[in-house]
Amino acid sequence: MTQALTLSSLPLFPLGSVLFPGGLLALRVFEVRYLDMVRKCHQAGAPFGVVALTQGREVRQAGAPEEQFNDVGTLAVIEQIDTPQPGLITLLCRGSQRFRITRRSHLPHGLWIADVDLLDQDLAVPVPDDLKTASSALAQVLHTLKQRDPHAPGVVAPTAAQLGDCGWVANRWCELLPVPLELKQRLMELDNPLVRLELVADVLERTGIAPTQ
């Protein structure tokens, strides 16, 4: 077995959402702890880690429970950054590689940092015939969203290669489906993209979005 690639002192951004590899994430940053983090990451061309909260809020409030979050998250790479006014930064980030936290620390000014092991990227697994309805339904949904708001973050015109890849199709559906955060987290953590798509297809069939052939 090869040794896992590790990152030390990765800054973390706990959110009430799950970031999937390949997904886009728009953020409005105004807390001091994150403004400084974002500036440093952008200057260094370095990612930060997005982790889904299990307790607490995205914005710190007096008397609120301390943030608790999942051990598995996703690296966020800054693609666009803007400062529309002092004390506010807007970001567009893309999900990169998943990671697992091995050690975490809470700095005095409130920022979380962690040592992490990077998890393997999804293998390229072709969408099997019995799951192609999930792929074609996704293409239709994305086309509709693109027509409705061509400039909305995260609205993409998928390529044939993307629509033929289990991991990409499953991840985009996970972002779109109104399922509990805990389920999205479990799906993101799955190492097998085919199994992830099979589980997504079950949800689609139960909701009538994409009935199986």
Side-chain angles (χ1 to χ4, degrees), residues 129-162:
D129 289 342
D130 63 330
L131 295 176
K132 285 185 177 177
T133 50
S135 180
S136 59
L138 176 65
Q140 292 172 2
V141 169
L142 292 177
H143 178 70
T144 300
L145 293 174
K146 187 77 171 176
Q147 286 187 317
R148 188 178 301 165
D149 188 353
H151 305 294
V155 179
V156 297
T159 65
Q162 289 170 330

Side-chain angles (χ1 to χ4, degrees), residues 25-29 38 48 78 80-81 89-93:
L25 174 68
L27 291 173
R28 290 170 55 86
V29 180
V38 164
F48 57 89
I78 299 172
Q80 296 177 22
I81 185 168
I89 295 176
T90 58
L91 296 174
L92 184 64
C93 306

Side-chain angles (χ1 to χ4, degrees), residues 53-125:
L53 286 162
T54 58
Q55 178 180 286
R57 297 176 177 270
E58 293 182 353
V59 179
R60 282 192 300 178
Q61 295 180 342
E66 186 177 78
E67 299 147 327
Q68 295 184 17
F69 44 84
N70 288 283
D71 286 330
V72 177
T74 303
L75 297 180
V77 178
I78 299 172
E79 293 203 338
Q80 296 177 22
I81 185 168
D82 190 25
T83 306
Q85 64 188 56
L88 175 65
I89 295 176
T90 58
L91 296 174
L92 184 64
C93 306
R94 186 175 297 277
S96 178
Q97 198 162 352
R98 298 173 302 153
F99 60 82
R100 185 180 302 277
I101 294 172
T102 57
R103 184 188 66 84
R104 63 181 75 184
S105 302
H106 204 192
L107 300 183
H109 65 293
L111 183 69
W112 287 94
I113 61 172
D115 295 342
V116 305
D117 288 339
L118 296 182
L119 302 179
D120 290 337
Q121 305 263 20
D122 279 344
L123 294 175
V125 178

Side-chain angles (χ1 to χ4, degrees), residues 131 134 177 195-208 210 212:
L131 295 176
L177 287 172
V195 173
R196 192 184 311 135
L197 183 56
E198 287 173 340
L199 293 172
V200 166
D202 287 342
V203 175
L204 295 173
E205 185 178 11
R206 289 199 301 271
T207 57
T212 55

